[in-house]
């Protein structure tokens, strides 16, 4: 963990870096910045924060930005993190949309987009592996993670239903084995 809280400017720049790195998904890059590079959070602390942020409405990475910013610099930090996170992607997104509307039907553009999709899938698999590794001493957590994956993934159960069903059992197991 950092000895002193990061400044508002450092929070902005860190989330700007996350945003500029996170094409196809920013969470793997957020973990790298927050846990591995700056050490503002520990691995399990990141997992806990992400779990809370997944229960909140809105994109997970936006929720993470608010929580991190608020933790270190209150309202100014939350605003800096969020602005750093959305500024560049908004400009890039509008620009790419204009280009896609003009050239998206070309086979080369379609092939490029499929390649980018494959890279994004790999990033999320890597993030999942790092999160699972951080919880390796708590196998019950991994069991519930697998059940949630199966329910929301291959079985197609709505995510809210999966959470509402598994949460009581997961909380009970975490309480039981952490005592």
């Amino acid at each position: 963990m950092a000895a002193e809280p990061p400044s508002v400017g450092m929070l902005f720049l860190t989330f700007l870096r996350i945003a500029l790195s996170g094409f196809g998904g920013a969470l793997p890059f957020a973990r790298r910045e927050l846990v591995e590079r700056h050490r503002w959070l520990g691995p399990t602390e990141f997992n806990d924060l992400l779990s809370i942020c997944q229960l909140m409405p809105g994109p997970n990475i936006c929720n993470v930005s608010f929580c991190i910013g608020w933790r270190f610099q209150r309202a100014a930090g939350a605003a800096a993190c969020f602005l750093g996170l959305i500024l560049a992607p908004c400009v890039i997104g509008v620009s790419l949309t204009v280009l896609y509307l003009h050239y998206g039907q070309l086979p080369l553009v379609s092939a490029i987009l499929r390649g980018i999709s494959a890279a994004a899938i790999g990033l999320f698999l890597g993030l999942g592996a790092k999160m699972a590794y951080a919880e390796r001493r708590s196998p019950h957590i991994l069991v519930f993670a697998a059940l949630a994956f199966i329910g929301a993934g291959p079985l197609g159960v709505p995510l809210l239903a999966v959470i509402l069903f598994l949460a009581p059992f997961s909380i009970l197991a975490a309480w039981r084995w952490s005592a």
Side-chain angles (χ1 to χ4, degrees), residues 86-97:
I86 66 164
L87 184 64
C90 283
V91 171
I92 293 168
V94 169
S95 302
L96 289 176
T97 299

Side-chain angles (χ1 to χ4, degrees), residues 15-161:
F15 276 87
L16 180 64
R17 183 178 10 259
I18 290 168
L20 291 172
S21 301
F23 287 89
L27 284 170
F29 299 100
R31 186 189 186 284
R32 182 179 303 143
E33 288 289 323
L34 301 174
V35 175
E36 298 169 14
R37 185 166 185 257
H38 292 293
R39 301 186 193 283
W40 293 340
L41 300 174
T44 56
E45 194 176 13
F46 177 85
N47 291 357
D48 293 344
L49 177 66
L50 183 57
S51 297
I52 292 166
C53 291
Q54 287 176 323
L55 295 175
M56 298 163 53
N60 296 333
I61 188 61
C62 290
N63 297 338
V64 168
S65 75
F66 289 130
C67 291
I68 293 295
W70 187 268
R71 175 180 179 164
F72 292 114
Q73 295 292 339
R74 299 288 184 233
C81 288
F82 184 68
L83 186 60
L85 187 66
I86 66 164
L87 184 64
C90 283
V91 171
I92 293 168
V94 169
S95 302
L96 289 176
T97 299
V98 169
L99 290 172
Y100 178 75
L101 290 174
H102 283 74
Y103 304 106
Q105 72 283 0
L106 298 175
L108 176 62
V109 173
S110 180
I112 290 169
L113 293 175
R114 280 195 314 278
I116 292 170
S117 295
I121 292 168
L123 289 172
F124 277 106
L125 290 174
L127 173 64
K130 285 182 178 183
M131 290 178 70
Y133 183 77
E135 301 294 347
R136 68 190 179 281
R137 290 187 177 90
S138 305
H140 62 282
I141 290 175
L142 299 178
V143 168
F144 285 104
L147 291 172
F149 172 79
I150 291 167
L155 296 180
V157 178
L159 183 58
L160 183 59

